[in-house]
Amino acid sequence: MRIGVPREIKNHEYRVGLTPPSVSELVAAGHEVFIESTAGHGIDFEDADYVAVGAQILPDAAAVFAAADMIVKVKEPQAQEIALLEPRHTLFTYLHLAADKPQAEGLMASGATCIAYETVTSPTRSLPLLKPMSEVAGRMSVQVGAHYLEKEQGGRGILLGGVPGVAPARVAILGGGVAGINAAQMATGLRADVTIYDINNDRLAELDMHFGSQIKTAYASKAAVAAAVEKAHLVIGAVLVPGAAAPKLVTRDMLKTMKRGSVLVDIAIDQGGCFETSKATTHDDPVYEIDGVIHYCVANMPGAVARTSAFALNNATLPFVLAIANKGAEAAMAADPHLANGLNVSDGKIRHQAVAEALDLPFTAWSR
């Protein structure tokens, strides 16, 4: 198969769809790989590094799309990239369509087969291609939260872990999944006062066993979340409904109960955000303030640690890229129902039910 990797063009996005080690594996399996010139510069890979493992360098995205049958990216295609897609293409990347109807309609119009990393599943019903970036975002959420709690950043002027004789910051983590548990690991490592909220009692029990006395757990009722927001200095939104828009757990009215200079970090912003006042921001302009509360809602958080993120993502995606390249998209999905769960759009139709419901568009099940 002919596989293309364009340079990412989203604001401050330096990750790359395939690293040179991944390209080496694909070339060894008999595939052709086309890399847009400078695609890897953001994580210190030169064009020569790709040539050394058998890739061909092309001058721009248009040339890559024209040469390739499959496009491997990191972030959702921007409008000028969607315009380059054709029905013959398979697009394999993060899409997050539930919060982006214009993108969904563009992909439908293209006729391309669009497989989203974030809805590919595993035999254990986990999300293996979302997991590495959820790990990164969860860990980053505590770093950025601690930073914006500093007074000169507009925060309350609180050290996350406190010092002897001065209490630590109170951290409320909404959601006990992969992002939430990684946030908790970082926050407890900094000696913060951490509580994780979730609606799955079995998950709460697992978290209690995992962390022991390092954290507290609580059922995420509306009343409990409201009380948590009122007390917390840092609230991390880490909820996920696969393929669907994130539920709005923190309302505008709740902000009025928060202490001035508190911080909200919305990891769920790619899926529309779990705070009513969330709106996507960029690394150029990452925060804004409402009612004295700082909001950090960067939609590609892991892009800030692009090298770590690119390697972590490639470790997870490469087996699926190989399967699609070796068999073709339809045969690969027919052979692996978990990969088929990643199919969001094909033949101009929405193929993922949660996406269709979130966008109020017709759902058409895929069958080979």
Side-chain angles (χ1 to χ4, degrees):
M1 183 176 280
R2 296 157 67 88
I3 303 162
V5 179
R7 180 174 56 83
E8 297 292 326
I9 57 175
K10 189 164 185 171
N11 178 276
H12 281 279
E13 183 52 72
Y14 305 108
R15 290 173 288 180
V16 65
L18 294 174
T19 61
S22 295
V23 171
S24 179
E25 295 286 336
L26 289 162
V27 171
H31 304 294
E32 293 181 83
V33 181
F34 303 92
I35 307 289
E36 182 180 352
S37 181
T38 75
H41 278 197
I43 55 172
D44 292 328
F45 287 126
E46 303 298 329
D47 290 351
D49 296 321
Y50 283 102
V51 171
V53 293
Q56 299 178 50
I57 304 299
L58 295 179
D60 52 37
V64 170
F65 278 72
D69 304 307
M70 175 164 62
I71 302 296
V72 179
K73 282 177 43 62
V74 178
K75 289 304 292 178
E76 70 278 0
Q78 305 301 292
Q80 59 265 49
E81 295 173 309
I82 293 174
L84 298 172
L85 285 169
E86 302 175 23
R88 65 186 179 85
H89 282 130
T90 296
L91 173 66
F92 195 36
T93 188
Y94 287 117
L95 293 175
H96 298 293
L97 293 180
D100 193 348
K101 193 169 186 177
Q103 185 202 165
E105 291 173 338
L107 295 179
M108 292 167 69
S110 77
T113 297
C114 306
I115 303 172
Y117 293 160
E118 71 271 11
T119 59
V120 173
T121 57
S122 76
T124 61
R125 295 186 297 179
S126 65
L127 302 171
L129 306 191
L130 189 60
K131 182 180 178 181
M133 296 304 95
S134 294
E135 291 169 339
V136 171
R139 295 182 181 211
M140 279 190 65
S141 69
V142 175
Q143 291 183 185
V144 299
H147 178 63
Y148 285 103
L149 278 172
E150 295 172 7
K151 190 65 179 177
E152 69 176 54
Q153 303 304 322
R156 193 160 177 80
I158 292 178
L159 182 65
L160 207 62
V163 293
V166 181
R170 291 185 291 273
V171 178
I173 300 172
L174 308 182
V178 174
I181 196 171
N182 277 271
Q185 287 171 341
M186 293 292 284
T188 56
L190 291 172
R191 300 188 177 186
D193 180 352
V194 180
T195 305
I196 302 180
Y197 296 80
D198 203 286
I199 58 171
N200 185 324
N201 282 312
D202 290 337
R203 184 58 177 161
L204 291 174
E206 292 170 0
L207 292 167
D208 187 72
M209 290 290 292
H210 179 82
F211 285 101
S213 61
Q214 288 183 297
I215 66 161
K216 298 182 283 290
T217 59
Y219 186 82
S221 65
K222 290 182 180 179
V225 171
V229 168
E230 181 179 0
K231 295 176 183 176
H233 301 107
L234 170 59
V235 180
I236 296 171
V239 297
L240 174 69
V241 180
K248 305 299 184 186
L249 301 183
V250 177
T251 67
R252 173 68 183 266
D253 287 342
M254 290 181 189
L255 295 193
K256 295 179 175 63
T257 71
M258 297 186 74
K259 297 169 182 62
R260 188 167 195 84
S262 297
V263 177
L264 301 178
V265 177
D266 198 341
I267 298 174
I269 192 63
D270 280 319
Q271 295 293 115
C274 62
F275 308 139
E276 186 180 359
T277 47
S278 288
K279 60 181 181 182
T281 60
T282 67
H283 289 294
D284 270 343
D285 189 13
V287 297
Y288 58 93
E289 183 181 312
I290 297 178
D291 293 339
V293 177
I294 296 172
H295 293 58
Y296 180 98
C297 303
V298 174
N300 59 328
M301 284 179 67
V305 287
R307 190 171 175 89
T308 295
S309 296
F311 278 104
L313 182 60
N314 271 240
N315 289 345
T317 58
L318 180 60
F320 293 96
V321 174
L322 276 165
I324 295 169
N326 289 340
K327 301 173 183 176
E330 288 209 352
M333 290 189 292
D336 183 354
H338 300 291
L339 176 61
N341 286 337
L343 183 64
N344 279 208
V345 178
S346 68
D347 299 321
K349 300 177 176 64
I350 299 292
R351 302 296 193 178
H352 195 284
Q353 188 165 0
V355 170
E357 290 173 356
L359 298 176
D360 195 26
L361 290 171
F363 164 67
T364 306
W366 175 79
S367 61
R368 189 178 180 189

